Structures are given as structure tokens and as C-alpha cells.
Amino acid sequence: MNHDRLLKVGWGVAGVLAAAGLLWSVGSCLDRAEPARRLARRAGDLRELQALQRVAAHREAGLERLRQPAAAGTNATTLAAMIRDGLGAVATTIKELDPPTAPEGWSLRRVKVNLKDINGDALGLLLAQLASNRPPWTVAECSLKASTRPGWMAEAELTLEQACAAEAPPPTQK
Amino acid sequence: MMSNIYGLDGEGENAAAVRAVRRGLGWDFIPATLDEARRAPRARVAVALRQKDSLLRPIRAPFGDLRKARRVLLSLLDMQLPFPVESCAVAVAELRAEGGETRGWAALARTEEITRVLAAWRAAGVDPDTLDQESLALWSEARRTLPGVRADAERLHVVAYLGHDRITFVLGRAGHLVAAHGLGMEARDQAVRVLKPYMGGGAAVWIFAGPAAATPDGEALRLAVTRAWPGEILPAPEPESFLARALARRQLSAGAYPCNFRSGDFAHERERERGVRRSWVGLAAVLAAGLLLIGVNAVWRSAAARREAAAQAELTRVTRLLAPLGAARGSEVMTARRVVEQESKRLEPVLQAGNPEALGTLRKLLDVAAEQGLIFETLRLRRDGLVQATGVAVDWRRAELSEREWAGQGIDLRMERRDEWADGHVVFNLSSGGKP
């Protein structure tokens, strides 16, 4: 009797387990695409994030160049010295302009340089030198007027900008 | 495994015994003794209820649905019995659909007769696994061992079994059972009368078997029936152990007209145990299948969850690199994009101030102009891409060539011809924006 009851209980348990297993399997079978869909969605998200990472890394690389310790002048006086070194006795006026608002941790400078009667090649060399300065001077705007002398310019007006990290050590004064 | 299989013919100590022995791929049947069967460990023994102690009834139903026939079987049999069918054990030996009808044979035995026979065997020290029906066993053995029994559709075949205490006639044609009769030895002179209704004047084929077939009583009976219906006599191999062999063989393979009264209430203890074991094995199988299904599902789900968690962890890690405060699950990309865009916008003035692109553009403009002999009178360039220039080219072809070269270097400009001097020089305007 006990044996029969045990068998009955066993069949009951086995039936419940088998039914549960079967139902779960059917559920899993019907739902089998969902985990793959979720994984695919996450993989897609990861790809987008990696693309954003590349954008941020590119931006950081640009900023990193500007964060390098200043090696040369970052003010009008040192800029004038650089121009003098590059062009010699050229009539030069340098005017400091109001810089655009700099984000926190950065400082910006903007100057307008007016050069009269200048050799074109010498101007090119000067601009290359300014660009390779640390931090670099870059051309925001330039306006050239030709001279009657071939290869020379009657006037060159340049708007230069420079950005550097605010915490960067003060530049060596030349 | 099935090496202790015995067939016993008779009752008690006088029983003839046969043992089945594996020989190559088949089986051999060798003479044995009751004592051997009694002492063999886990011997499987088959005995038979005598025809005169049991009943064989034909099943006839006017429909060919076997399932339905099984349902009404007891009612069909009840009508043929002088006592209630409930007082019998019933074994369906044959049930077949034929021409829109159901036909077959059922073996019946009174429960008290089964109890008596089993008690007698137990008293003799044997608890038979199978309680067969004598006529069915005889007929199936004749079908198996004598090919003519099934092949010959014309003549009636009669298995005349002569035991020490009884005579059993089993009649059939073309392998199909036709009738069976059992007589006590004291009624042997009734044999011709009993057979007469079936013979119909045609020739019969006789098969004489049984331990008393070669005795004077057996000879007398043989003469009596063959004189009444002369015919061919098919010699049965080892006729004295014909029934015992049939019983042993039917344990190996039931063959035609299977029968075992030891079922239900009369089931052998070993059969009961086997049933219980089968039940437990079935239970274990169902339990295992259920657990396996649950296990497989659990493993699959957890593997999927692990992969998903790993993907989510990587997503969170990369998001934190871009947005240190993190993001709500599911909005990682949106949050990171917003943070990157905000940061880019915030740093835009710095990035612009560090952008050397205008210098590069100026250099390209001047280089191409020098190469093609263009002279700029004025040139204005701004970082946002604005280019305005006026100048003189040696000829218009050179001016156009310059325009194409700048385009090739990524500077889209629009060249306009403003004037042409007498010596072919062309005055031009240059502005950003490419060709209209």
C-alpha cells in the first residue's frame, strides 16, 4: 500500500516535472529569438559607442597637441619677435583682439597682424613657423593685396589665434 | 538470461519436461525432468490447462472494428457460456477483421479451475510463469513444425493428442483453428462421434502426438479414427514431448494463438514484480526526462543570461569612458552621444583656435597659382571656408586648370572670367562654393 502510494506520488511529481519541463521548453522555443535580438541590439549599441569613442579620441588628440608645454611666446611681444626673426625689417603692426570665450581650463588669444611690402615666400615660411610653434598660432583669417613686384605683396593682414591649456606653465619669454 | 525455460506437460510428478537451450542463433529443446525445473534458479516454466478443463470459443461480430469488438467481447462470450463470464479468466488468442466482420478465438477457464491447477503445481514445487491453453499450444506447435498444416488449404488437419489421462483433438484448416475437443481417457470410444460433425466425408490429415500415442490405447484410438476417416498421417517429431515443446517454445516467441491465464489476479509474483519494476523504470524515465528538460532549459537560459550580462557590462564600461556618470540601461548610446556632443560644442573655440586647416588652404591656393602663372591681386581667406580673390591669369585655360587642381585638393571654388586683355591675359574672380 505504501509502495503503491509512493509510486502514485512519484508519478505525480514526475508528471508535474515533465509538464513543467515541457512547458518551459515550449516557452523557450517560442521565445528563442528574443535573447539573440537583445544581444544584437547591445552589439549595435556597442558599435555606436565605439564610433563615438573614435570621435572623442580624435578630439582629444587635437587637444593633446595644444596641451603640450608652451615652448615659445604666447603674447603679442613674443609674436612680434618671431615675426621680426622671420621677416626682418618689415613694417609690422600687431593688435591684440578680444578673444572668443574660452571654455574652462583653456585660454585663447587672438591678434591681428598687419604686414606691409612682404615677400610671398617669406610670408609662407613665417606662417609655417607660427604653425609649428608650441602652442601653435593658426590663421583664422587672412587678407592679401598684391604688389607690383612679382612674388611680393603690398599688404598682408592676418588674424591669428592661439589656444593653450590654462594650467600650462608660463612660456619662456624671448 | 533466458536459459532456464521449461515446458511441462501433465500434472505433478508424471509431467513430461522440456528445456529450451540456445543453439547458435536458434533454440534447441532437450528432455528434462520436473525436478530439474524445480531446482533451476529463476526458471521460467510454462504449463497448460487441459482442453477438457477449459473452453475455446469462437468470436464472431458483424463489424470489422477491432477496438469495438474488444469492448463488446465479454458480452459476446457471455451469450455462449452456461455460466457468467465474470467467473472466468479470458484470454483473447486471436482477433482479426475479415470481410467487414471480426473473427477470432478466446480461451476461457473458470477461476476455480485456474486456482486448482496452480495450487497443484505449487504443491509439486513449481510456480508456473505461464498457464497456457492446451489446444492452442498444440495447434501453434503443429503450425510451426509441420509446414503442411498452414500450406494445405483443402484438407482438414487434426492434431490428436493422447495423454495418459485424456485425449485432445484440435482441428484446423490452412493454419486456422476450426475446433477443439477434450475427452477423458475413459470416454475414448466417443472420439469418432465427437469428430464426425467436422469430417464431412472429406479426407483428413492426422497428426498423432502425446506421451500415450505409442501405447496400446493410443494405437487403438488411432485405428478407430483412421478407419473412420482414412487419410495421411503426418509424423510429428518426438511426439511424446510435443506439447511440452510447444509450451517451452511459446515462452520464447508466442507465435499464433498466444494465451496466458496468468494475468490480472492470477499474475505470477515475478510478473507482478516485473510490472512494478516497469512502472518504476517508466517513472524514472519520465522523471529523468522532466529533469533533463528543466536542466537543458536552465543551462540554456543561464548561458543566454551570462552572454547578455557580459555584453551589458561591456556596454556600461564603454559608456562610462564617454559619460563618467554612466547612463540608464537602454539609453547608453543616447546619453553618450549627448555628452560627446556637449563636450565637442564646449571645446569648439579651442579646437578651432588649434585648427591649422586655413594655413593649409592658403598654401594650396598660392602653390597652384604660382604653378599655373596666376597672380592674385587680392585674396581673402577665412577659417570657416570663405575664399574671395581677384587676379590675372595668363589665359583662361590656365585659370580653369587651376580651378580643377584646387577641386582635386578638396577646395571647391568658383572661377569667373571678368575681363580679357588684348594680350590674352584674363582677369578673374574667385569665390568659395564651387561651380553653381
Side-chain angles (χ1 to χ4, degrees):
Chain A
M1 192 62 182
N2 276 344
H3 180 268
D4 284 352
R5 193 177 301 152
L6 192 64
L7 205 59
K8 265 185 195 165
V9 170
W11 273 109
V13 171
V16 168
L17 280 177
L22 211 59
L23 282 175
W24 202 7
S25 299
V26 169
S28 297
C29 195
L30 294 175
D31 194 33
R32 67 189 183 282
E34 187 52 30
R37 230 185 339 258
R38 283 201 298 267
L39 271 179
R41 199 165 51 229
R42 278 177 175 73
D45 285 356
L46 193 61
R47 276 195 298 276
E48 281 196 53
L49 287 177
Q50 283 163 346
L52 286 171
Q53 258 190 317
R54 284 193 291 276
V55 169
H58 183 258
R59 188 188 64 207
E60 274 307 303
L63 295 174
E64 197 54 41
R65 203 162 43 86
L66 305 177
R67 281 197 193 100
Q68 288 172 359
T74 54
N75 58 24
T77 316
T78 51
L79 179 64
M82 285 175 76
I83 292 169
R84 199 169 48 247
D85 288 350
L87 301 178
V90 171
T92 308
T93 54
I94 297 177
K95 184 183 174 189
E96 191 110 25
L97 302 176
D98 288 336
T101 311
E104 194 187 329
W106 293 91
S107 68
L108 295 173
R109 178 164 290 119
R110 179 179 282 177
V111 294
K112 183 171 270 186
V113 179
N114 192 285
L115 306 165
K116 303 266 191 221
D117 204 18
I118 181 176
N119 181 281
D121 292 340
L123 177 65
L125 285 171
L126 172 68
L127 291 175
Q129 192 189 348
L130 289 172
S132 62
N133 187 56
R134 280 208 322 263
W137 283 100
T138 61
V139 177
E141 195 173 339
C142 86
S143 181
L144 308 175
K145 280 183 191 159
S147 165
T148 49
R149 273 200 290 176
W152 285 72
M153 287 165 203
E155 186 179 352
E157 190 173 81
L158 307 169
T159 304
L160 302 176
E161 280 184 357
Q162 187 185 51
C164 61
E167 66 271 29
T172 311
Q173 297 293 316
K174 284 194 175 180
Chain B
M1 194 167 59
M2 291 179 75
S3 56
N4 291 330
I5 293 168
Y6 292 87
L8 302 180
D9 171 16
E11 272 188 21
E13 297 300 326
N14 294 326
V18 160
R19 180 183 177 203
V21 177
R22 166 79 67 189
R23 182 73 40 92
L25 292 175
W27 292 85
D28 212 353
F29 298 92
I30 58 171
T33 62
L34 174 66
D35 198 41
E36 193 185 320
R38 199 183 281 146
R39 284 185 287 113
R42 299 188 71 78
R44 289 178 57 83
V45 176
V47 299
L49 262 185
R50 294 177 299 195
Q51 174 60 37
K52 74 187 191 70
D53 298 332
S54 57
L55 291 166
L56 270 185
R57 283 289 177 267
I59 301 167
R60 299 275 186 278
F63 44 79
D65 185 343
L66 296 183
R67 238 182 314 174
K68 186 177 172 187
R70 276 185 201 284
R71 278 203 304 273
V72 299
L73 180 68
L74 291 181
S75 305
L76 290 173
L77 290 171
D78 201 28
M79 291 186 285
Q80 303 181 41
L81 298 175
F83 40 77
V85 73
E86 290 78 15
S87 65
C88 298
V90 180
V92 178
E94 187 193 34
L95 201 63
R96 64 181 199 278
E98 192 180 282
E101 289 189 339
T102 299
R103 288 173 174 271
W105 284 92
L108 299 99
R110 301 291 294 265
T111 51
E112 59 261 37
E113 183 59 26
I114 294 173
T115 307
R116 185 194 67 76
V117 169
L118 289 177
W121 279 110
R122 284 186 191 120
V126 172
D127 188 9
D129 296 77
T130 304
L131 183 59
D132 211 326
Q133 204 275 347
E134 184 184 48
S135 297
L136 297 175
L138 288 169
W139 186 245
S140 80
E141 185 67 4
R143 277 169 52 107
R144 278 207 253 223
T145 56
L146 302 167
V149 172
R150 275 197 289 176
D152 190 346
E154 297 298 317
R155 294 178 296 176
L156 189 70
H157 284 66
V158 184
V159 178
Y161 172 87
L162 294 98
H164 293 296
D165 58 344
R166 68 194 188 276
I167 302 165
T168 302
F169 292 110
V170 190
L171 299 89
R173 182 177 278 119
H176 293 300
L177 189 64
V178 171
H181 286 278
L183 302 168
M185 195 51 97
E186 71 286 352
R188 62 181 177 276
D189 50 347
Q190 301 289 315
V192 172
R193 186 186 59 79
V194 163
L195 292 175
K196 198 171 182 180
Y198 304 102
M199 305 312 276
V205 178
W206 297 95
I207 301 149
F208 292 97
T215 62
D217 283 349
E219 282 297 316
L221 181 82
R222 190 162 64 89
L223 280 173
V225 294
T226 54
R227 193 179 299 129
W229 298 287
E232 187 187 350
I233 297 177
L234 280 182
E238 299 174 52
E240 66 284 353
S241 60
F242 193 80
L243 178 57
R245 211 165 50 246
L247 295 170
R249 200 194 303 274
R250 277 158 73 86
Q251 284 201 84
L252 298 169
S253 156
Y257 303 102
C259 174
N260 185 8
F261 288 116
R262 294 217 65 178
S263 63
D265 292 344
F266 293 108
H268 191 280
E269 190 52 38
R270 205 153 45 202
E271 190 54 41
R272 269 188 223 280
E273 283 170 12
R274 209 172 291 136
V276 170
R277 204 162 40 242
R278 268 198 297 268
S279 193
W280 277 110
V281 168
L283 168 61
V286 172
L287 203 62
L291 287 173
L292 186 71
L293 282 176
I294 289 172
V296 166
N297 275 292
V299 167
W300 182 72
R301 293 256 174 187
S302 88
R306 261 202 310 277
R307 285 185 64 187
E308 208 175 316
Q312 181 60 43
E314 178 63 6
L315 208 58
T316 306
R317 186 187 71 78
V318 176
T319 305
R320 282 194 178 278
L321 292 176
L322 294 165
L325 294 178
R329 192 174 166 142
S331 64
E332 291 90 349
V333 172
M334 200 174 67
T335 306
R337 184 178 291 126
R338 197 181 60 237
V339 169
V340 168
E341 282 171 359
Q342 279 175 351
E343 193 63 2
S344 293
K345 195 173 172 188
R346 188 178 75 84
L347 294 166
E348 181 64 17
V350 178
L351 292 166
Q352 283 297 322
N355 184 357
E357 202 177 308
L359 179 61
T361 307
L362 178 63
R363 189 168 294 152
K364 284 172 191 167
L365 288 173
L366 295 176
D367 286 351
V368 171
E371 192 183 312
Q372 298 297 338
L374 267 60
I375 298 164
F376 286 119
E377 288 173 352
T378 62
L379 172 65
R380 186 161 171 244
L381 172 74
R382 229 165 47 194
R383 182 183 279 143
D384 62 7
L386 176 114
V387 176
Q388 286 176 335
T390 57
V392 179
V394 177
D395 54 40
W396 184 240
R397 190 184 62 78
R398 293 280 195 95
E400 285 183 324
L401 210 58
S402 304
E403 188 184 26
R404 277 201 295 276
E405 271 193 56
W406 284 319
Q409 292 174 4
I411 307 168
D412 284 333
L413 298 170
R414 188 165 67 241
M415 178 81 79
E416 282 177 18
R417 186 181 176 135
R418 211 176 66 193
D419 198 7
E420 187 174 348
W421 296 341
D423 59 358
H425 280 73
V426 173
V427 180
F428 64 85
N429 277 350
L430 195 63
S431 56
S432 49
K435 285 188 182 298

